[in-house]
Amino acid sequence: GAGVSQSPSNKVTEKGKDVELRCDPISGHTALYWYRQSLGQGLEFLIYFQGNSAPDKSGLPSDRFSAERTGGSVSTLTIQRTQQEDSAVYLCASSLDEGQGYEQYFGPGTRLTVT
Amino acid sequence: GQSLEQPSEVTAVEGAIVQINCTYQTSGFYGLSWYQQHDGGAPTFLSYNALDGLEETGRFSSFLSRSDSYGYLLLQELQMKDSASYFCAVRAAGGKLIFGQGTELSVKP
């Protein structure tokens, strides 16, 4: 079937505005992960879901960041009152379940620019 | 804390063999994954080691020594298309991955 999709592909926003990033995982994948990647850097773990539950939110950088997943499928990452340091590529990935988390399938990412 | 160390850059010529090392220090360890990422692209899964030893997948092999907290990715018969960034990632509890900073591989003709 289709791979992981993310929208929008690019988002430019003004400092202080809220943004929502969307992720559609591979159909049937119960585990979903959010990462962010700054230019030339590794991937920074943010949060993961198993079904609709988020067992690990330890990577969320501040309380301005939140995420939810509904129906065991689509997930939304929300950043409130964006700051310039939030500028990065936000990547979503899914795996068959958390036990198969070593093999994650990534979406193309959302490039967020905060001006 | 959790940290992974890998070289920032490696250069090799077409047809050669290159090894990318990764050492890790993590509070929980279930295995080591490797991912490839081309410029502007999404990371793609290459291999995974949960146990000590060598795993071979075509031109790519991956090795793990849990006692040494060390692993490597071996790329053989290098091709120009192998130019990319390579990330090692520790699988921690719950399936989340902790990524290294990546090694940029440049393959020269």
Side-chain angles (χ1 to χ4, degrees), chain A residues 74-90:
Chain A
V74 172
S75 176
T76 303
L77 177 70
T78 301
I79 309 173
Q80 296 179 307
R81 305 181 302 281
T82 51
Q83 304 293 312
Q84 288 188 330
E85 61 262 29
D86 299 334
S87 296
V89 176
Y90 288 80

Side-chain angles (χ1 to χ4, degrees), chain B:
Chain B
Q2 307 188 70
S3 67
L4 290 87
E5 297 284 336
Q6 51 181 129
S8 58
E9 297 178 347
V10 172
T11 301
V13 297
E14 260 188 309
I17 299 172
V18 72
Q19 179 174 313
I20 299 173
N21 297 320
C22 174
T23 57
Y24 58 87
Q25 186 172 14
T26 59
S27 54
F29 179 85
Y30 291 83
L32 190 70
S33 292
W34 288 91
Y35 283 78
Q36 178 192 61
Q37 185 179 33
H38 285 99
D39 263 353
T44 56
F45 172 78
L46 292 176
S47 68
Y48 176 67
N49 296 70
L51 302 174
D52 286 0
L54 191 69
E55 293 282 340
E56 298 181 72
T57 310
R59 294 188 298 114
F60 294 1
S61 303
S62 57
F63 172 83
L64 176 65
S65 168
R66 294 174 70 119
S67 60
D68 295 322
S69 298
Y70 164 75
Y72 66 72
L73 180 70
L74 191 73
L75 297 83
Q76 303 182 73
E77 300 171 18
L78 280 174
Q79 302 174 10
M80 297 296 289
K81 67 178 182 180
D82 297 329
S83 292
S85 291
Y86 293 83
F87 295 89
C88 58
V90 165
R91 182 183 166 216
K96 86 181 190 188
L97 292 175
I98 308 299
F99 282 81
Q101 293 299 295
T103 298
E104 186 174 351
L105 172 64
S106 298
V107 181
K108 306 294 186 186

Side-chain angles (χ1 to χ4, degrees), chain A residues 89-100:
Chain A
V89 176
Y90 288 80
L91 290 160
C92 173
S94 69
S95 66
L96 198 58
D97 55 43
E98 59 183 358
Q100 303 290 314

